């Protein structure tokens, strides 16, 4: 059988089963123990050896990116609702809140996301998901800038990092009242001042 034929073949059922078990188990471990959880414990609970885990997911970032992909449906649904809003500034604010909640899914998640966004390493599996979210944020920023509600100097990358930062602080157990004040401070930084005042 040629290499081309092998590439075109559907993965064996046991390979698919192992991958699904790893993703399900990893998600549970990330929820319970954060993104720094033991990958060996994930493999053991999934019923496979560490070698099998690393064949599917060569790095922690690769596993994390795959788990985040399985959890992205909720964020996509939120984005569809946000698209229906008639107020571009409100849409941006709602998008930042949706990202913050997405980044809060697992304890410690903002750290590798911020690292991937800063480094822009093409071989980091988290770079592409970050780029997609930054690009979406840019679209919301530009729409709000067109209405004169957001400063011209603001970029989607900046607000992506701001949402990550709020999610990180949220993970420390900070209360909702403090988080609301922080969100207000961030918003006052990106909103355009009313020139009529």
């Amino acid at each position: 059988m040629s290499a081309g034929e092998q590439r075109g073949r559907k993965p064996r059922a046991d390979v698919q089963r192992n991958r699904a078990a790893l993703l399900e188990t990893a998600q549970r471990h990330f929820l319970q123990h954060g993104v720094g959880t033991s990958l060996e414990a994930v493999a053991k609970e999934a019923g496979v050896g560490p070698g099998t885990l690393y064949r599917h997911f060569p790095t922690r970032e690769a596993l994390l990116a795959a788990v985040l992909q399985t959890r992205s449906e909720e964020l996509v649904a939120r984005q569809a609702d946000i698209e229906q809003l008639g107020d571009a500034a409100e849409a941006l604010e709602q998008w930042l809140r949706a990202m913050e909640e997405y980044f809060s899914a697992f304890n410690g998640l903002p750290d590798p996301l911020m690292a991937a966004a800063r480094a822009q390493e093409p071989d980091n599996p988290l770079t592409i998901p970050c780029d997609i979210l930054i690009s979406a944020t840019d679209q919301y920023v530009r729409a709000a800038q067109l209405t004169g509600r957001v400063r011209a100097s603001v970029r989607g990358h900046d607000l992506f990092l701001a949402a990550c930062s709020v999610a990180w602080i949220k993970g420390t157990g900070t209360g909702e009242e403090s988080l609301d004040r922080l969100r207000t401070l961030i918003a006052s930084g990106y909103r355009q001042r009313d020139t009529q005042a």
Side-chain angles (χ1 to χ4, degrees), residues 1-9:
M1 180 180 292
S2 72
E5 288 172 321
Q6 286 178 335
R7 278 195 302 272
R9 290 180 65 192

Side-chain angles (χ1 to χ4, degrees), residues 110-121 127 130-131 134 157 160-161 164-165:
D111 287 321
L113 292 177
M114 286 191 286
R118 282 194 310 266
Q120 290 295 300
E121 298 166 347
T127 297
C130 288
D131 284 348
I134 290 168
H157 186 269
F160 169 89
L161 292 176
C164 276
S165 300

Side-chain angles (χ1 to χ4, degrees), residues 13-49:
D14 61 327
V15 172
Q16 291 178 316
R17 248 191 331 270
N18 287 343
R19 180 181 171 84
L22 284 165
L23 285 173
E24 183 182 325
T25 306
Q27 179 166 229
R28 193 164 50 254
H29 275 250
F30 288 152
L31 283 167
Q32 292 172 352
H33 311 292
V35 298
T37 192
S38 162
L39 296 188
E40 286 70 21
V42 169
K44 184 175 181 181
E45 190 178 316
V48 301

Side-chain angles (χ1 to χ4, degrees), residues 3 7 10 12 15 18-19 49 70 73 81 86-87 97 110 119 123 126 138 146-147 159 175 178 187 192 194 197:
R7 278 195 302 272
K10 192 174 176 184
R12 292 187 337 235
V15 172
N18 287 343
R19 180 181 171 84
T70 68
E73 286 179 13
D81 290 340
D87 183 328
R97 194 66 180 264
D123 58 340
L126 290 171
D138 258 329
L146 288 173
T147 68
L159 294 185
S178 289
Q192 182 67 40
D194 188 351

